[in-house]
Coordinates of all heavy atoms in Angstrom, one line a residue:
M1 N 0.8 -1.2 0.0 CA 0.0 0.0 0.0 C 0.9 1.3 0.0 O 0.5 2.2 -0.6 CB -0.9 0.0 1.2 CG -2.1 0.9 1.1 SD -3.1 0.4 -0.2 CE -4.6 1.3 0.2
K2 N 2.0 1.3 0.7 CA 2.9 2.4 0.8 C 3.4 2.7 -0.6 O 3.5 3.9 -0.9 CB 4.0 2.1 1.7 CG 3.7 2.2 3.2 CD 4.9 2.0 4.0 CE 4.6 1.9 5.5 NZ 5.7 1.7 6.3
R3 N 3.6 1.8 -1.4 CA 4.1 2.0 -2.7 C 3.1 2.8 -3.6 O 3.5 3.7 -4.4 CB 4.4 0.6 -3.4 CG 5.0 0.7 -4.8 CD 5.4 -0.6 -5.3 NE 6.1 -0.5 -6.6 CZ 6.3 -1.4 -7.4 NH1 5.9 -2.7 -7.1 NH2 7.0 -1.2 -8.5
Y4 N 1.8 2.5 -3.5 CA 0.8 3.3 -4.2 C 0.8 4.7 -3.8 O 0.5 5.6 -4.6 CB -0.5 2.6 -4.2 CG -0.6 1.2 -4.9 CD1 -0.6 0.1 -4.2 CD2 -0.4 1.2 -6.3 CE1 -0.6 -1.2 -4.8 CE2 -0.4 0.0 -7.0 CZ -0.5 -1.2 -6.2 OH -0.5 -2.4 -6.8
Y5 N 0.9 4.9 -2.5 CA 0.9 6.3 -1.9 C 2.1 7.1 -2.5 O 2.0 8.2 -2.9 CB 0.9 6.3 -0.4 CG -0.4 5.9 0.2 CD1 -0.4 4.9 1.1 CD2 -1.6 6.6 -0.1 CE1 -1.6 4.5 1.7 CE2 -2.8 6.2 0.5 CZ -2.8 5.2 1.4 OH -3.9 4.8 2.0
F6 N 3.2 6.4 -2.5 CA 4.4 7.1 -3.0 C 4.3 7.4 -4.6 O 4.6 8.5 -5.0 CB 5.6 6.1 -2.8 CG 6.9 6.7 -3.4 CD1 7.6 7.8 -2.9 CD2 7.4 6.2 -4.6 CE1 8.7 8.3 -3.5 CE2 8.5 6.8 -5.2 CZ 9.2 7.8 -4.6
L7 N 3.7 6.5 -5.3 CA 3.5 6.7 -6.7 C 2.5 7.8 -7.0 O 2.7 8.7 -7.8 CB 3.0 5.4 -7.4 CG 2.8 5.5 -8.9 CD1 4.1 5.9 -9.6 CD2 2.3 4.2 -9.5
S8 N 1.5 7.9 -6.1 CA 0.5 9.0 -6.3 C 1.1 10.3 -5.9 O 0.8 11.3 -6.6 CB -0.7 8.7 -5.3 OG -1.4 7.5 -5.7
L9 N 1.9 10.3 -4.9 CA 2.6 11.6 -4.5 C 3.6 12.1 -5.6 O 3.6 13.2 -5.9 CB 3.3 11.4 -3.2 CG 4.1 12.6 -2.7 CD1 3.2 13.8 -2.5 CD2 4.8 12.3 -1.4
L10 N 4.3 11.1 -6.2 CA 5.2 11.4 -7.3 C 4.5 12.0 -8.5 O 4.9 13.0 -9.0 CB 6.0 10.2 -7.6 CG 7.1 10.4 -8.8 CD1 8.1 11.4 -8.3 CD2 7.7 9.0 -9.1
V11 N 3.4 11.4 -8.9 CA 2.6 11.9 -10.0 C 2.0 13.3 -9.7 O 2.1 14.2 -10.5 CB 1.5 10.9 -10.3 CG1 0.5 11.6 -11.4 CG2 2.1 9.6 -10.9
L12 N 1.6 13.5 -8.5 CA 1.1 14.8 -8.0 C 2.1 15.9 -8.1 O 1.9 17.0 -8.6 CB 0.5 14.7 -6.7 CG -0.1 16.0 -6.1 CD1 -1.3 16.5 -7.0 CD2 -0.6 15.8 -4.7
L13 N 3.4 15.5 -7.6 CA 4.5 16.5 -7.7 C 4.8 16.8 -9.2 O 5.1 17.9 -9.5 CB 5.6 15.9 -6.9 CG 5.5 15.9 -5.4 CD1 6.7 15.2 -4.8 CD2 5.4 17.3 -4.9
M14 N 4.8 15.8 -10.0 CA 5.2 16.1 -11.4 C 4.2 17.0 -12.0 O 4.5 17.9 -12.8 CB 5.3 14.7 -12.2 CG 6.5 13.9 -11.8 SD 6.5 12.3 -12.5 CE 6.5 12.7 -14.3
V15 N 2.9 16.7 -11.8 CA 1.8 17.6 -12.4 C 1.9 19.0 -11.9 O 1.8 19.9 -12.6 CB 0.4 16.9 -12.2 CG1 -0.7 17.9 -12.5 CG2 0.3 15.6 -12.9
T16 N 2.2 19.1 -10.6 CA 2.3 20.4 -10.0 C 3.5 21.2 -10.6 O 3.3 22.4 -10.8 CB 2.5 20.3 -8.5 OG1 1.4 19.6 -7.9 CG2 2.6 21.6 -7.8
T17 N 4.6 20.6 -10.8 CA 5.7 21.3 -11.3 C 5.6 21.6 -12.8 O 6.3 22.5 -13.3 CB 7.1 20.5 -11.1 OG1 6.9 19.2 -11.7 CG2 7.3 20.3 -9.6
L18 N 4.6 21.0 -13.5 CA 4.4 21.3 -14.9 C 3.5 22.5 -15.1 O 3.4 23.0 -16.2 CB 3.8 20.1 -15.6 CG 4.7 18.9 -15.8 CD1 4.0 17.8 -16.4 CD2 6.0 19.2 -16.5
S19 N 3.0 23.1 -14.0 CA 2.1 24.3 -14.2 C 2.9 25.4 -14.7 O 4.1 25.6 -14.4 CB 1.4 24.6 -12.9 OG 2.3 24.9 -11.9
V20 N 2.3 26.3 -15.4 CA 3.0 27.5 -16.0 C 3.1 28.5 -14.9 O 2.1 28.9 -14.2 CB 2.2 28.0 -17.2 CG1 2.9 29.3 -17.8 CG2 2.1 27.0 -18.2
A21 N 4.3 29.1 -14.8 CA 4.5 30.2 -13.8 C 5.1 31.4 -14.4 O 5.6 31.3 -15.5 CB 5.4 29.7 -12.7
Q22 N 5.0 32.5 -13.8 CA 5.7 33.7 -14.3 C 7.2 33.5 -14.2 O 7.7 32.8 -13.3 CB 5.3 34.9 -13.5 CG 3.9 35.3 -13.6 CD 3.5 36.4 -12.6 OE1 4.0 36.5 -11.5 NE2 2.6 37.3 -13.1
I23 N 7.9 34.2 -15.1 CA 9.4 34.1 -15.1 C 9.9 35.5 -15.0 O 9.4 36.5 -15.6 CB 9.9 33.5 -16.4 CG1 9.4 32.1 -16.6 CG2 11.4 33.6 -16.5 CD1 9.7 31.4 -17.9
T24 N 10.8 35.7 -14.1 CA 11.5 37.0 -13.8 C 13.0 36.9 -14.3 O 13.7 36.0 -13.9 CB 11.5 37.4 -12.3 OG1 10.1 37.5 -11.9 CG2 12.2 38.7 -12.1
V25 N 13.4 37.8 -15.1 CA 14.8 37.9 -15.6 C 15.4 39.1 -14.8 O 14.8 40.1 -14.6 CB 14.9 38.0 -17.1 CG1 14.5 36.8 -17.7 CG2 14.2 39.2 -17.6
K26 N 16.7 39.0 -14.5 CA 17.4 40.0 -13.8 C 18.7 40.3 -14.5 O 19.3 39.4 -15.0 CB 17.6 39.7 -12.4 CG 16.4 39.6 -11.5 CD 16.7 39.3 -10.0 CE 15.4 39.2 -9.2 NZ 15.7 39.1 -7.8
F27 N 19.2 41.5 -14.4 CA 20.4 42.0 -15.1 C 21.1 43.1 -14.3 O 20.5 43.9 -13.8 CB 20.0 42.5 -16.5 CG 21.1 43.0 -17.3 CD1 22.0 42.1 -17.9 CD2 21.3 44.3 -17.5 CE1 23.0 42.6 -18.7 CE2 22.3 44.8 -18.3 CZ 23.2 43.9 -18.9
Q28 N 22.4 43.0 -14.2 CA 23.3 44.1 -13.7 C 24.0 44.7 -14.8 O 24.7 44.0 -15.6 CB 24.2 43.5 -12.6 CG 23.6 43.2 -11.3 CD 24.6 42.9 -10.3 OE1 25.6 42.2 -10.5 NE2 24.4 43.5 -9.1
K29 N 23.8 46.0 -15.0 CA 24.4 46.7 -16.1 C 25.9 47.0 -15.9 O 26.3 47.1 -14.8 CB 23.7 48.0 -16.4 CG 24.0 49.1 -15.3 CD 23.3 50.4 -15.8 CE 23.7 51.5 -14.8 NZ 25.0 51.9 -14.8
P30 N 26.6 47.0 -17.1 CA 28.0 47.4 -17.0 C 28.0 48.9 -16.5 O 27.2 49.7 -16.7 CB 28.5 47.3 -18.4 CG 27.5 46.4 -19.1 CD 26.2 46.6 -18.4
A31 N 29.2 49.2 -15.9 CA 29.3 50.6 -15.3 C 29.2 51.7 -16.4 O 28.7 52.8 -16.1 CB 30.7 50.7 -14.6
S32 N 29.6 51.3 -17.6 CA 29.5 52.3 -18.7 C 28.1 52.6 -19.2 O 27.9 53.6 -19.9 CB 30.4 51.9 -19.8 OG 29.9 50.7 -20.4
W33 N 27.2 51.8 -18.9 CA 25.8 52.0 -19.4 C 25.1 53.1 -18.6 O 25.3 53.2 -17.4 CB 25.0 50.7 -19.4 CG 25.4 49.6 -20.4 CD1 26.6 49.6 -21.1 CD2 24.5 48.6 -20.8 NE1 26.5 48.5 -21.9 CE2 25.3 47.9 -21.8 CE3 23.3 48.1 -20.5 CZ2 24.8 46.7 -22.4 CZ3 22.8 47.0 -21.2 CH2 23.6 46.4 -22.1
T34 N 24.3 53.8 -19.3 CA 23.6 54.9 -18.6 C 22.1 54.5 -18.2 O 21.5 55.0 -17.4 CB 23.5 56.2 -19.4 OG1 22.9 55.9 -20.7 CG2 24.9 56.7 -19.6
A35 N 21.6 53.5 -19.0 CA 20.2 53.0 -18.7 C 20.1 51.6 -19.3 O 21.0 51.1 -20.0 CB 19.2 53.9 -19.5
V36 N 19.0 50.9 -18.9 CA 18.8 49.5 -19.4 C 17.4 49.4 -19.9 O 16.4 49.8 -19.3 CB 19.0 48.5 -18.2 CG1 18.7 47.1 -18.7 CG2 20.5 48.6 -17.7
S37 N 17.3 48.8 -21.1 CA 16.0 48.4 -21.7 C 16.1 47.0 -22.0 O 17.2 46.4 -22.2 CB 15.8 49.2 -23.0 OG 15.5 50.6 -22.7
L38 N 14.9 46.4 -22.0 CA 14.8 44.9 -22.3 C 14.0 44.8 -23.5 O 12.8 45.3 -23.7 CB 14.2 44.1 -21.2 CG 14.0 42.7 -21.4 CD1 15.3 41.9 -21.7 CD2 13.3 42.0 -20.2
Y39 N 14.5 44.1 -24.6 CA 13.8 43.9 -25.8 C 13.6 42.4 -26.0 O 14.4 41.6 -25.6 CB 14.6 44.4 -27.0 CG 14.0 44.2 -28.4 CD1 12.9 44.8 -28.9 CD2 14.7 43.2 -29.2 CE1 12.3 44.5 -30.1 CE2 14.1 42.9 -30.4 CZ 13.0 43.5 -30.9 OH 12.5 43.2 -32.2
N40 N 12.4 42.0 -26.6 CA 12.2 40.6 -26.9 C 11.7 40.5 -28.2 O 11.1 41.4 -28.8 CB 11.2 39.9 -25.9 CG 9.8 40.2 -26.3 OD1 9.4 41.4 -26.3 ND2 9.0 39.2 -26.7
Y41 N 12.1 39.3 -28.9 CA 11.5 39.0 -30.2 C 11.3 37.5 -30.3 O 11.8 36.8 -29.6 CB 12.5 39.5 -31.3 CG 13.8 38.8 -31.4 CD1 14.0 37.8 -32.2 CD2 14.8 39.3 -30.6 CE1 15.3 37.1 -32.3 CE2 16.1 38.7 -30.6 CZ 16.3 37.6 -31.5 OH 17.5 37.0 -31.5
G42 N 10.5 37.2 -31.3 CA 10.2 35.8 -31.5 C 8.7 35.7 -31.9 O 8.3 36.4 -32.8
A43 N 7.9 34.9 -31.2 CA 6.5 34.8 -31.5 C 5.8 36.1 -31.3 O 4.8 36.4 -32.0 CB 5.9 33.7 -30.6
S44 N 6.2 36.9 -30.4 CA 5.5 38.2 -30.1 C 6.6 39.2 -29.5 O 7.5 38.8 -28.9 CB 4.3 38.1 -29.2 OG 4.7 37.7 -27.9
E45 N 6.3 40.5 -29.7 CA 7.2 41.5 -29.1 C 6.3 42.2 -28.0 O 5.9 43.3 -28.3 CB 7.6 42.5 -30.2 CG 8.6 42.0 -31.2 CD 9.1 43.1 -32.2 OE1 8.5 44.2 -32.2 OE2 10.0 42.8 -32.9
I46 N 6.2 41.6 -26.9 CA 5.4 42.1 -25.9 C 6.0 43.3 -25.2 O 5.3 44.0 -24.4 CB 5.0 41.0 -24.8 CG1 6.2 40.6 -24.0 CG2 4.3 39.9 -25.4 CD1 5.9 39.6 -22.8
L47 N 7.3 43.5 -25.4 CA 7.9 44.7 -24.8 C 8.1 45.9 -25.7 O 8.7 46.9 -25.4 CB 9.3 44.2 -24.3 CG 9.4 43.2 -23.3 CD1 10.8 42.7 -23.0 CD2 8.7 43.6 -22.0
G48 N 7.4 45.8 -26.9 CA 7.4 46.9 -27.8 C 8.6 46.8 -28.8 O 9.4 46.0 -28.7
A49 N 8.7 47.8 -29.7 CA 9.7 47.9 -30.7 C 11.1 48.2 -30.0 O 11.1 48.7 -28.8 CB 9.3 49.0 -31.7
W50 N 12.1 48.1 -30.7 CA 13.5 48.3 -30.2 C 13.6 49.8 -29.7 O 13.0 50.6 -30.4 CB 14.5 48.2 -31.4 CG 15.9 48.4 -30.9 CD1 16.6 49.5 -31.1 CD2 16.7 47.4 -30.3 NE1 17.8 49.4 -30.5 CE2 18.0 48.1 -30.0 CE3 16.6 46.2 -29.8 CZ2 19.0 47.5 -29.3 CZ3 17.6 45.6 -29.1 CH2 18.8 46.2 -28.9
P51 N 14.1 50.0 -28.6 CA 14.9 49.2 -27.7 C 14.1 48.4 -26.7 O 14.7 47.8 -25.8 CB 15.9 50.2 -27.1 CG 15.0 51.4 -26.9 CD 14.2 51.5 -28.2
G52 N 12.8 48.4 -26.8 CA 12.0 47.6 -25.8 C 11.6 48.5 -24.6 O 11.4 49.7 -24.7
T53 N 11.4 47.9 -23.5 CA 10.9 48.5 -22.3 C 12.0 49.0 -21.4 O 12.9 48.2 -21.1 CB 9.9 47.5 -21.5 OG1 8.9 47.2 -22.4 CG2 9.5 48.1 -20.2
A54 N 12.0 50.2 -20.9 CA 12.9 50.7 -20.0 C 12.8 50.1 -18.7 O 11.6 49.9 -18.2 CB 12.8 52.2 -19.9
L55 N 13.9 49.7 -18.0 CA 13.8 49.0 -16.7 C 14.4 50.0 -15.7 O 15.2 50.8 -16.0 CB 14.6 47.7 -16.8 CG 14.2 46.7 -17.8 CD1 15.1 45.4 -17.7 CD2 12.7 46.3 -17.6
T56 N 13.9 49.8 -14.4 CA 14.5 50.6 -13.3 C 15.2 49.6 -12.4 O 14.8 48.4 -12.3 CB 13.4 51.3 -12.5 OG1 12.4 50.5 -12.2 CG2 12.8 52.4 -13.5
A57 N 16.2 50.1 -11.7 CA 17.0 49.2 -10.8 C 16.4 49.1 -9.4 O 15.9 50.1 -8.9 CB 18.4 49.7 -10.7
T58 N 16.5 48.0 -8.8 CA 16.2 47.7 -7.4 C 17.3 47.0 -6.8 O 17.7 45.9 -7.2 CB 14.9 46.9 -7.3 OG1 13.8 47.6 -7.9 CG2 14.5 46.7 -5.8
N59 N 18.0 47.6 -5.9 CA 19.2 47.0 -5.2 C 20.3 46.6 -6.3 O 20.9 45.6 -6.2 CB 18.8 45.8 -4.4 CG 17.9 46.2 -3.2 OD1 18.1 47.3 -2.6 ND2 17.0 45.3 -2.9
G60 N 20.4 47.4 -7.3 CA 21.4 47.2 -8.3 C 21.0 46.2 -9.4 O 21.8 46.0 -10.3
W61 N 19.9 45.7 -9.4 CA 19.4 44.8 -10.4 C 18.3 45.3 -11.2 O 17.3 45.9 -10.6 CB 18.9 43.4 -9.8 CG 20.0 42.6 -9.2 CD1 20.5 42.6 -7.9 CD2 20.7 41.6 -9.9 NE1 21.5 41.7 -7.8 CE2 21.7 41.1 -9.0 CE3 20.7 41.1 -11.2 CZ2 22.6 40.1 -9.3 CZ3 21.6 40.1 -11.5 CH2 22.5 39.6 -10.6
Y62 N 18.3 45.2 -12.5 CA 17.2 45.6 -13.4 C 16.4 44.2 -13.6 O 17.0 43.3 -14.0 CB 17.8 46.1 -14.7 CG 18.4 47.5 -14.5 CD1 19.8 47.5 -14.1 CD2 17.8 48.6 -14.7 CE1 20.4 48.8 -13.8 CE2 18.4 49.9 -14.5 CZ 19.7 50.0 -14.1 OH 20.3 51.2 -13.9
S63 N 15.2 44.3 -13.4 CA 14.4 43.0 -13.6 C 13.1 43.3 -14.3 O 12.6 44.4 -14.3 CB 14.1 42.4 -12.2 OG 13.3 43.2 -11.5
Y64 N 12.6 42.2 -14.9 CA 11.3 42.2 -15.6 C 10.6 40.8 -15.3 O 11.3 39.8 -15.5 CB 11.4 42.5 -17.0 CG 10.1 42.6 -17.7 CD1 9.4 43.9 -17.7 CD2 9.5 41.5 -18.4 CE1 8.2 43.9 -18.4 CE2 8.3 41.6 -19.0 CZ 7.6 42.8 -19.0 OH 6.4 42.9 -19.6
T65 N 9.4 40.9 -15.0 CA 8.6 39.7 -14.8 C 7.6 39.5 -15.9 O 6.7 40.3 -16.2 CB 7.8 39.6 -13.4 OG1 8.8 39.8 -12.4 CG2 7.0 38.4 -13.3
F66 N 7.8 38.4 -16.7 CA 6.9 38.1 -17.8 C 5.6 37.5 -17.3 O 5.7 36.7 -16.3 CB 7.6 37.2 -18.8 CG 8.7 37.8 -19.6 CD1 10.0 37.8 -19.1 CD2 8.4 38.4 -20.8 CE1 11.0 38.4 -19.9 CE2 9.4 39.0 -21.5 CZ 10.7 39.0 -21.1
P67 N 4.5 37.7 -18.0 CA 3.3 37.0 -17.6 C 3.3 35.5 -17.8 O 4.2 35.1 -18.7 CB 2.2 37.7 -18.4 CG 3.0 38.2 -19.6 CD 4.4 38.6 -19.1
A68 N 2.6 34.8 -17.2 CA 2.6 33.3 -17.4 C 2.2 32.9 -18.8 O 2.7 31.8 -19.2 CB 1.6 32.7 -16.4
S69 N 1.6 33.7 -19.5 CA 1.2 33.4 -20.9 C 2.5 33.5 -21.9 O 2.4 33.0 -23.0 CB 0.1 34.3 -21.4 OG 0.5 35.7 -21.3
Y70 N 3.5 34.2 -21.4 CA 4.7 34.3 -22.3 C 5.5 33.0 -22.2 O 6.0 32.6 -21.1 CB 5.6 35.5 -21.8 CG 6.7 35.7 -22.7 CD1 6.6 36.3 -23.9 CD2 8.0 35.3 -22.3 CE1 7.7 36.6 -24.7 CE2 9.1 35.6 -23.1 CZ 8.9 36.2 -24.3 OH 10.1 36.4 -25.2
T71 N 5.6 32.3 -23.3 CA 6.2 30.9 -23.2 C 7.5 30.8 -24.0 O 8.3 29.9 -23.7 CB 5.3 29.9 -23.8 OG1 4.9 30.3 -25.1 CG2 4.0 29.8 -22.9
T72 N 7.8 31.7 -25.0 CA 9.0 31.6 -25.8 C 9.4 32.9 -26.3 O 8.6 33.7 -26.6 CB 8.9 30.5 -26.8 OG1 10.1 30.3 -27.5 CG2 7.8 30.9 -27.9
G73 N 10.6 33.1 -26.6 CA 11.2 34.3 -27.3 C 12.6 34.5 -26.9 O 13.2 33.7 -26.2
N74 N 13.2 35.5 -27.5 CA 14.6 35.8 -27.4 C 14.7 37.2 -26.7 O 13.8 38.0 -26.9 CB 15.4 35.9 -28.7 CG 15.4 34.6 -29.4 OD1 15.9 33.6 -28.9 ND2 14.7 34.5 -30.6
L75 N 15.6 37.4 -25.8 CA 15.8 38.6 -25.0 C 17.1 39.2 -25.3 O 18.2 38.6 -25.4 CB 15.7 38.3 -23.5 CG 14.5 37.5 -23.0 CD1 14.6 37.2 -21.5 CD2 13.2 38.3 -23.3
I76 N 17.1 40.6 -25.3 CA 18.3 41.4 -25.4 C 18.2 42.5 -24.4 O 17.3 43.3 -24.5 CB 18.5 41.9 -26.9 CG1 18.6 40.8 -27.9 CG2 19.8 42.9 -26.9 CD1 18.6 41.4 -29.3
F77 N 19.2 42.6 -23.5 CA 19.3 43.8 -22.6 C 20.1 44.8 -23.4 O 21.2 44.4 -24.1 CB 19.9 43.5 -21.3 CG 19.1 42.6 -20.4 CD1 19.3 41.2 -20.4 CD2 18.1 43.2 -19.6 CE1 18.5 40.4 -19.6 CE2 17.4 42.4 -18.8 CZ 17.5 41.0 -18.7
N78 N 19.8 46.0 -23.4 CA 20.6 47.0 -24.1 C 20.6 48.3 -23.4 O 19.8 48.6 -22.5 CB 20.0 47.2 -25.5 CG 18.6 47.8 -25.5 OD1 18.4 49.0 -25.4 ND2 17.6 46.9 -25.7
N79 N 21.6 49.2 -23.8 CA 21.8 50.5 -23.2 C 20.9 51.5 -23.8 O 21.3 52.5 -24.4 CB 23.3 50.9 -23.4 CG 23.7 52.1 -22.6 OD1 22.9 52.7 -21.8 ND2 24.8 52.7 -22.8
A80 N 19.6 51.2 -23.6 CA 18.5 52.1 -24.1 C 18.7 52.5 -25.5 O 18.5 53.7 -25.9 CB 18.3 53.3 -23.2
G81 N 19.2 51.6 -26.4 CA 19.3 51.9 -27.8 C 20.5 52.6 -28.1 O 20.7 53.2 -29.2
A82 N 21.5 52.8 -27.2 CA 22.8 53.6 -27.5 C 23.8 52.8 -28.2 O 25.0 53.2 -28.2 CB 23.3 54.1 -26.1
G83 N 23.5 51.6 -28.8 CA 24.4 50.9 -29.5 C 25.1 49.8 -28.7 O 26.0 49.0 -29.3
E84 N 24.9 49.6 -27.4 CA 25.5 48.6 -26.7 C 24.4 47.6 -26.2 O 23.3 48.0 -25.8 CB 26.2 49.2 -25.4 CG 27.3 50.1 -25.7 CD 27.8 50.9 -24.5 OE1 26.9 51.6 -23.9 OE2 28.9 50.7 -24.1
Q85 N 24.7 46.3 -26.3 CA 23.7 45.3 -26.0 C 24.4 44.0 -25.6 O 25.6 43.8 -25.8 CB 22.8 45.1 -27.2 CG 23.4 44.4 -28.3 CD 22.5 44.3 -29.5 OE1 21.9 45.3 -29.9 NE2 22.4 43.1 -30.1
T86 N 23.6 43.1 -24.9 CA 24.0 41.8 -24.6 C 23.9 40.9 -25.8 O 23.2 41.3 -26.8 CB 23.3 41.2 -23.4 OG1 21.9 41.1 -23.8 CG2 23.4 42.1 -22.2
M87 N 24.4 39.7 -25.7 CA 24.0 38.7 -26.7 C 22.5 38.4 -26.6 O 21.9 38.7 -25.6 CB 24.9 37.5 -26.5 CG 24.8 36.8 -25.2 SD 26.0 35.5 -25.0 CE 24.9 34.1 -25.0
D88 N 22.0 37.7 -27.5 CA 20.6 37.2 -27.5 C 20.5 36.1 -26.5 O 21.3 35.1 -26.6 CB 20.2 36.8 -28.8 CG 20.2 37.9 -29.9 OD1 20.8 38.9 -29.6 OD2 19.6 37.7 -30.9
Y89 N 19.5 36.1 -25.6 CA 19.2 35.1 -24.7 C 17.9 34.4 -25.1 O 17.1 35.0 -25.6 CB 19.2 35.6 -23.2 CG 20.4 36.2 -22.7 CD1 20.5 37.6 -22.6 CD2 21.5 35.3 -22.4 CE1 21.7 38.1 -22.1 CE2 22.7 35.9 -21.9 CZ 22.8 37.2 -21.7 OH 24.0 37.8 -21.2

């Protein structure tokens, strides 16, 4: 009987971890950057056209939380369109 309880618990944990959750990305800017924007591309551009959405820092980190409905895409942090950017993530 214990084996069935364990299997049921394992299945429940697997189903629970498969639920869609919000994703937060964080970034620390290089000292030479004056501002940080986040741009995404792929299936949709939910952050707007280049350079994307301007981010503000909290404790030295620039962050953005995507809605649970956002499932795929590429991200680029950039110096607010000033010609400096990260690689595509």
